[in-house]
Amino acid sequence: MRKHHYTGTDYYTASLTRYADLSHLKTNKNSAIFSVYTAGVSIECMFRAYITKYTKEFDSKHDLEKLYSKSLLGSEFEIKERELLTIAVKRANEIWSNDLRYASEKRMKRIIAHKNIKANLTDVNKYIEREFIAIFESTELIINKGKEKWI
């Protein structure tokens, strides 16, 4: 199989496309897992757009914090904006995993229930809703900041 070489623009466009897909997915509760997965992919693509813009290096890992660091996107902003961006990246990285593409609804609920127990929370549905809001808010901030500085 031939390996494709994507440009920064390819990743940037993919990021915006996945972000647009997300706006439709997150309105359907039956697409909960895929909407969270798509949120993370849109973030990952944005970071890869910036990485590819500055270097030809390609890392196949899916750690959002490491990709953010390599992307140098944070260096484009003043301290306060950079802090907000860093918080959003950390939060998204806590919730998102590239492995979600393999998760069933049942598996995701087990993972969330386990986090609930660790956090001494009793209402799994509130926890799920809080996680979804956090990943979607983080995604919105990261994508908008990426768009703001893209040239």
Side-chain angles (χ1 to χ4, degrees):
M1 178 187 257
R2 196 180 101 208
K3 190 169 185 167
H4 298 282
H5 298 283
Y6 295 98
T7 66
T9 302
D10 292 329
Y11 283 116
Y12 180 76
T13 304
S15 175
L16 299 183
T17 303
R18 294 296 78 79
Y19 185 65
D21 294 342
L22 178 60
S23 67
H24 299 291
L25 288 170
K26 68 183 184 180
T27 62
N28 181 351
K29 292 203 184 267
N30 293 326
S31 299
I33 295 170
F34 197 61
S35 63
V36 172
Y37 177 73
T38 302
V41 169
S42 67
I43 295 168
E44 181 177 352
C45 286
M46 184 60 74
F47 295 156
R48 289 190 186 283
Y50 278 87
I51 292 167
T52 308
K53 185 177 182 179
Y54 300 122
T55 179
K56 296 296 179 208
E57 177 186 336
F58 182 82
D59 179 358
S60 61
K61 304 287 188 269
H62 302 282
D63 185 302
L64 296 179
E65 288 183 72
K66 288 178 182 175
L67 291 169
Y68 170 62
S69 178
K70 286 183 179 182
S71 76
L72 305 177
L73 178 59
S75 66
E76 301 279 334
F77 295 96
E78 299 295 323
I79 292 172
K80 189 65 176 167
E81 287 181 298
R82 187 174 30 231
E83 287 174 357
L84 292 173
L85 193 53
T86 301
I87 290 167
V89 171
K90 285 182 179 296
R91 188 66 179 128
N93 203 45
E94 289 172 0
I95 299 166
W96 182 79
S97 165
N98 192 49
D99 290 347
L100 285 176
R101 64 188 176 191
Y102 307 119
S104 66
E105 193 77 26
K106 185 177 180 180
R107 172 74 176 147
M108 187 173 189
K109 285 184 178 178
R110 275 198 321 259
I111 292 167
I112 290 169
H114 184 70
K115 286 183 179 180
N116 261 346
I117 291 167
K118 282 185 167 181
N120 292 324
L121 300 172
T122 56
D123 188 341
V124 174
N125 292 324
K126 280 188 179 180
Y127 185 80
I128 291 170
E129 184 178 334
R130 190 175 71 200
E131 294 286 286
F132 287 173
I133 289 168
I135 187 79
F136 299 145
E137 286 176 350
S138 294
T139 304
E140 182 175 0
L141 177 72
I142 293 164
I143 299 304
N144 286 333
K145 291 297 181 187
K147 284 170 45 178
E148 187 178 317
K149 297 297 181 177
W150 188 259
I151 296 173

